[in-house]
Amino acid sequence: MFEIDYQISDFMSNCQMKNLTQKTMATYEATLKLFARYLQDNYIITDGKLVKDEMVKKYVLFILERGKYTVCANDSTKDKSRPYNRTDYKNKVSASTINNYLRNLKVFFDYLKEEKVIKKSPMNNVKYLKNGRKPVGFITDDEFIRLLLLMDTSKYHEYRDYIVIQILFDTGMRIGECLMIDVCDVDVIKRSILLQEDNTKGRKSRYVFFSPKMQQDIKAWIKYKDRYVESDFLFPTHRGSGLRG
């Protein structure tokens, strides 16, 4: 292992101690390993202490020129995943994606600075790409009603999704949070749901509240679910597992 590999490993251990989500940690690690491979191939640099801002800027240009899925940290993974078979292989990498890479690198080098591995972060002079965001369209009330009418609630999975869609609109919670709710987290009387910290983006527990109409729908759904599936999840698959499990 090179010095930067140990530095990445220490950083990941620090992330784990901070109780970051697995998704966040996986994103950090993938970004850092790709960057480490770039440094090794293009600068023969294997130590984070030697990274300069110009290297980061050239890395951004490198990604933009190469396109999607053309860079991997380990050549053996390319043979297994076969990214060249993807329809979007070599497509342009978006500004949002590049900026996410830069944010991940910034967190890493800030950590190295805090640990006194480096005196100054090479990210200080690196600017994010301009990102023109497209406005997201809103669904109208009529469109929402038409969507619900298209669902066959006589089928288990469509009835489940029917309730999921309504509770998302009713509470404003994230889909990932919704699919990990246990029945014991639902207080039908007080019309509230406890979202456990392990399942929220900010890793903090919080309550969401639902309407009287949703209260009746959730009661009916739980009775229906319990007739066919034995599971602690509020919205399990037909086999009883969580939709993300």
Side-chain angles (χ1 to χ4, degrees):
M1 288 177 65
F2 296 115
E3 189 63 29
I4 195 169
D5 295 317
Y6 291 111
Q7 291 162 352
I8 292 173
S9 179
D10 289 343
F11 170 73
M12 295 308 304
S13 295
N14 182 260
C15 290
Q16 192 171 9
M17 290 176 59
K18 289 182 176 180
N19 200 28
L20 300 185
T21 65
Q22 290 185 350
K23 181 179 179 181
T24 298
M25 290 180 61
T27 301
Y28 279 151
E29 191 161 13
T31 299
L32 296 174
K33 286 185 174 180
L34 285 173
F35 183 60
R37 174 63 185 272
Y38 169 80
L39 293 173
Q40 181 183 344
D41 290 349
N42 293 271
Y43 296 98
I44 320 179
I45 283 180
T46 57
D47 190 335
K49 294 194 291 288
L50 303 177
V51 177
K52 307 298 181 184
D53 58 357
E54 286 301 320
M55 297 174 186
V56 180
K57 294 174 183 177
K58 288 183 178 179
Y59 178 62
V60 171
L61 294 176
F62 172 76
I63 295 295
L64 289 172
E65 290 170 359
R66 291 287 296 270
K68 287 185 176 181
Y69 311 110
T70 56
V71 183
C72 63
N74 190 322
D75 289 332
S76 62
T77 60
K78 183 183 291 187
D79 295 331
K80 293 179 181 178
S81 60
R82 298 179 180 178
Y84 40 78
N85 288 335
R86 298 180 61 108
T87 57
D88 56 348
Y89 181 62
K90 289 190 175 182
N91 279 11
K92 182 179 179 180
V93 180
S94 70
S96 295
T97 300
I98 294 291
N99 287 340
N100 286 336
Y101 292 165
L102 294 177
R103 289 187 189 96
N104 295 342
L105 291 175
K106 184 179 187 306
V107 174
F108 171 66
F109 284 107
D110 283 348
Y111 166 77
L112 293 186
K113 184 179 178 182
E114 289 173 5
E115 294 297 308
K116 297 184 174 16
V117 176
I118 59 177
K119 293 182 178 179
K120 180 182 178 182
S121 170
M123 302 301 297
N124 289 349
N125 296 323
V126 178
K127 296 181 179 179
Y128 294 114
L129 301 186
K130 291 184 178 180
N131 184 19
R133 295 183 178 273
K134 295 181 179 179
V136 178
F138 291 95
I139 186 172
T140 66
D141 290 343
D142 288 342
E143 289 170 336
F144 181 63
I145 292 172
R146 287 204 301 272
L147 171 63
L148 295 179
L149 290 175
L150 288 172
M151 308 187 80
D152 184 355
T153 54
S154 66
K155 297 177 180 178
Y156 175 88
H157 65 283
E158 292 203 36
Y159 183 21
R160 177 199 61 210
D161 295 348
Y162 174 85
I163 300 297
V164 167
I165 290 171
Q166 292 192 83
I167 202 170
L168 289 175
F169 273 79
D170 203 56
T171 64
M173 75 175 82
R174 297 177 175 87
I175 180 66
E177 297 170 337
C178 179
L179 299 183
M180 296 303 292
I181 295 171
D182 285 340
V183 175
C184 64
D185 294 326
V186 181
D187 189 330
V188 178
I189 303 300
K190 295 182 178 179
R191 304 204 313 271
S192 66
I193 299 172
L194 172 62
L195 301 179
Q196 300 286 355
E197 63 180 15
D198 289 343
N199 304 322
T200 63
K201 185 176 180 180
R203 307 295 280 179
K204 292 183 179 179
S205 299
R206 74 177 192 279
Y207 283 95
V208 293
F209 300 89
F210 49 86
S211 64
K213 171 65 170 59
M214 197 75 247
Q215 179 185 43
Q216 300 306 313
D217 288 339
I218 290 177
K219 281 183 181 178
W221 163 251
I222 292 175
K223 289 181 181 178
Y224 175 87
K225 173 191 77 71
D226 289 345
R227 285 200 296 269
Y228 300 103
V229 179
E230 185 176 344
S231 175
D232 293 332
F233 286 109
L234 180 61
F235 299 114
T237 65
H238 218 155
R239 297 185 299 275
S241 60
L243 292 178
R244 286 173 53 189

